[in-house]
Amino acid sequence: MYLRHGTFSYLPPLTDDQISAQVRYTLLNNWPVSIEYTDDPHPRNAYWEMWGLPLFDLDEPDGVLAEITACRATFPRHYVRVLAYDARYTRQTTAVSFLVQRPADEPGFVLTRTEGPDRRQKYGLHSYATSVRPGSRYGS
């Protein structure tokens, strides 16, 4: 299952040159950049683990790309994304969010639907990434 996350998720994976161009664009707009990673990309999991602190003081893309490379090397089986924040509205507003790495095997989700009183329907979404059994990567 190919999950869709972020700005460019319907395009083919970005190359390193394209990632560099996007990072350069965010820095030219004075948007601080943050790098995050997770192994559970549940659609409601908006809070991923941060890779270090947000990169407020960088104005060249090389420093950001070095941090992206380090995060990818440390977590080769995780999703890694880059976020840029726009502070013009006096609050933390995400201006850009895009994936820079996907795991080779994406675990996927299962959707369950139950019908209750008065024909009310309830939906449950369960991630295979959170049901890991001992000795297996993603469970069954």
Side-chain angles (χ1 to χ4, degrees):
M1 171 184 267
Y2 194 75
L3 299 174
R4 308 295 180 188
H5 283 281
T7 307
F8 306 111
S9 64
Y10 288 91
L11 299 174
L14 298 176
T15 65
D16 288 343
D17 290 338
Q18 292 169 329
I19 292 169
S20 176
Q22 292 303 319
V23 169
R24 187 175 298 108
Y25 175 79
T26 61
L27 295 176
L28 286 173
N29 282 295
N30 295 318
W31 297 337
V33 175
S34 178
I35 301 167
E36 298 180 346
Y37 63 93
T38 189
D39 65 346
D40 181 20
H42 189 286
R44 293 186 181 174
N45 180 11
Y47 300 105
W48 293 16
E49 298 293 325
M50 287 187 66
W51 175 259
L53 296 173
L55 306 170
F56 291 112
D57 57 346
L58 294 180
D59 56 0
E60 290 293 324
D62 295 338
V64 178
L65 296 174
E67 291 297 321
I68 290 171
T69 302
C71 185
R72 284 172 163 174
T74 305
F75 300 103
R77 293 184 176 166
H78 285 60
Y79 293 84
V80 178
R81 72 179 174 193
V82 172
L83 293 110
Y85 299 104
D86 186 357
R88 287 182 295 175
Y89 303 110
T90 66
R91 58 187 176 273
Q92 182 175 320
T93 305
T94 304
V96 175
S97 170
F98 59 94
L99 289 178
V100 296
Q101 174 176 291
R102 294 176 173 275
D105 181 34
E106 297 188 66
F109 300 93
V110 63
L111 179 68
T112 57
R113 181 177 74 183
T114 56
E115 197 166 314
D118 298 328
R119 299 184 67 185
R120 291 186 191 158
Q121 296 181 359
K122 295 181 182 179
Y123 293 91
L125 192 61
H126 174 73
S127 170
Y128 291 123
T130 60
S131 60
V132 176
R133 293 179 300 157
S136 70
R137 173 69 179 122
Y138 293 117
S140 54

